[in-house]
Amino acid sequence: MRGILTRNIFKLSGSRWAAVLLLVAGLYPAGVSQSGTPASPAGAQNPPDQNSAGQKSGGNSGESNSAGQGTDSSDIPRIRVGINEVNVVFTVTDKHGKRVTDLKQADFRFVDDNKPATEIRSFHAETNLPLQVGLLIDASNSVRDRFKFEQESAIEFLNQTIRKGYDQAMVVGFDATPEVTQDFTDDTEKLGKGVRMLRPGGGTALYDALYGSCRDKLLKQPQSGPTRRAIILLSDGEDNLSHVTREEAIEMAQRANAIVYTISTNVSGTKGSGDKILERIADATGGRAFFPFQIRDVSNAFTEIQDELRSQYDVSYKPADLKADGHFRTIEIVALDRKNFRVRSRRGYYAPAQ
């Protein structure tokens, strides 16, 4: 990123947020295990210049990066680590879309950057991992018609999903800017209040909300052990105010090892350009896009997400030739019985940089 983020990408409700967001030194690509002793961390990032040439003043930023807005991985501070393991969460469905939860390691082939993994360190069918969930709700004018129903469906999801002392969730509303109305907590009453605080109005900065939630929240949220990270994004997918692009937001979700589930708020009955954007975000992160054109189907989408978060596989493997070059590496998990099974996982990860 070259000076394109706003200084206040989050307004933390009820408290004063620092005027400059600093990236904490010592982040390393999510989903890649760490070993060895870290070297001196990179310096903190300087606050971006809002008047830089790369900033967009409007229009849909969901297409390819314009000049000056390409992702610069040097802006993400890293440390030198010995890397020997990649962790991936994935979902398997049959040809009818029904989840399959009883397959074994031998039923899959694991390919990293077009080469078979040299060693499978662990393989589990996970049903009970702790969750870190970010609930991102579009509060722009474009979703006003069914906003209240979506709020109630989101609260019901949080009440049914978040287990006290085990899971955590946060609530972020976004229109022209993202706002954290409830930070990470296991208290569903507080989370419900955070959802009810949201009021529709303004433009849409969807990409900023996803980017900031992953960079400034998920990546900084401590993990005491294996944890499943997910973002649930309710929006029509139409972005007109973000300072980052769609692909930069996707990249940050990949760095945070977050699966993104999208729920469209489009009620037209046909998929629009925003729905295609939601599909792209979900597909790139191993999530799933839902299109509940009938308002009563919104709660069904939340139920599907809740069930899926409790019925996924988790694999850790050693890549054949992992290099500390900062490049994006593809992940392909293939069911040997391709005719009957479909695997859904994130598309890849970013290798560490020297």
Side-chain angles (χ1 to χ4, degrees), residues 126-155:
E126 297 285 6
T127 60
N128 206 35
L129 282 180
L131 301 176
Q132 289 181 348
V133 177
L135 183 59
L136 276 58
I137 300 178
D138 188 337
S140 64
N141 272 321
S142 61
V143 300
R144 184 181 293 274
D145 290 344
R146 60 180 189 173
F147 189 71
K148 183 173 177 57
F149 184 85
E150 288 163 357
Q151 282 180 302
E152 295 306 316
S153 297
I155 291 170

Side-chain angles (χ1 to χ4, degrees), residues 316-349:
S316 293
Y317 65 84
K318 181 179 179 181
D321 61 347
L322 184 59
K323 300 175 182 177
D325 55 12
H327 289 172
F328 183 80
R329 297 175 62 91
T330 59
I331 294 173
E332 185 181 11
I333 302 176
V334 181
L336 298 185
D337 186 355
R338 291 195 181 199
K339 182 178 179 180
N340 293 308
F341 300 122
R342 177 178 179 268
V343 177
R344 182 157 35 84
S345 72
R346 59 192 173 108
R347 294 298 185 89
Y349 63 97

Side-chain angles (χ1 to χ4, degrees), residues 45-259:
Q45 183 181 10
N46 292 328
D49 181 0
Q50 292 185 2
N51 298 318
S52 63
Q55 180 174 347
K56 291 189 176 181
S57 58
N60 190 330
S61 56
E63 302 306 319
S64 60
N65 296 357
S66 61
Q69 278 207 318
T71 299
D72 186 349
S73 61
S74 65
D75 281 357
I76 307 299
R78 309 183 191 187
I79 56 176
R80 286 188 187 139
V81 293
I83 300 297
N84 58 11
E85 191 171 304
V86 175
N87 178 260
V88 187
V89 172
F90 63 98
T91 302
V92 182
T93 57
D94 62 19
K95 55 187 177 182
H96 303 294
K98 183 179 179 181
R99 282 182 296 278
V100 179
T101 59
D102 59 353
L103 298 179
K104 308 299 181 185
Q105 175 184 323
D107 295 316
F108 302 97
R109 181 165 55 91
F110 304 95
V111 180
D112 186 291
D113 221 30
N114 300 315
K115 294 183 179 180
T118 59
E119 180 184 351
I120 305 302
R121 297 287 179 85
S122 67
F123 179 92
H124 304 284
E126 297 285 6
T127 60
N128 206 35
L129 282 180
L131 301 176
Q132 289 181 348
V133 177
L135 183 59
L136 276 58
I137 300 178
D138 188 337
S140 64
N141 272 321
S142 61
V143 300
R144 184 181 293 274
D145 290 344
R146 60 180 189 173
F147 189 71
K148 183 173 177 57
F149 184 85
E150 288 163 357
Q151 282 180 302
E152 295 306 316
S153 297
I155 291 170
E156 182 181 5
F157 165 79
L158 292 168
N159 287 337
Q160 293 179 353
T161 304
I162 303 303
R163 300 162 294 180
K164 194 168 184 63
Y166 202 66
D167 305 314
Q168 289 192 321
M170 69 170 178
V171 178
V172 178
F174 62 92
D175 45 28
T177 56
E179 178 181 6
V180 179
T181 56
Q182 177 56 56
D183 211 335
F184 276 109
T185 181
D186 62 357
D187 188 328
T188 55
E189 184 175 347
K190 290 181 178 179
L191 290 166
K193 288 180 180 178
V195 175
R196 290 191 178 96
M197 286 174 62
L198 301 173
R199 297 290 183 271
T204 310
L206 184 159
Y207 308 139
D208 282 357
L210 178 57
Y211 186 101
S213 296
C214 293
R215 188 193 71 171
D216 302 317
K217 291 298 179 182
L218 279 178
L219 273 172
K220 296 179 181 179
Q221 189 66 9
Q223 295 175 287
S224 58
T227 304
R228 184 148 301 156
R229 285 176 167 173
I231 293 285
I232 300 172
L233 175 62
L234 282 83
S235 177
D236 61 5
E238 298 288 351
D239 189 302
N240 55 21
L241 285 176
S242 283
H243 298 86
V244 301
T245 66
R246 178 191 65 193
E247 295 308 307
E248 288 164 341
I250 289 173
E251 175 184 336
M252 192 54 65
Q254 291 168 333
R255 291 186 186 279
N257 198 21
I259 300 171

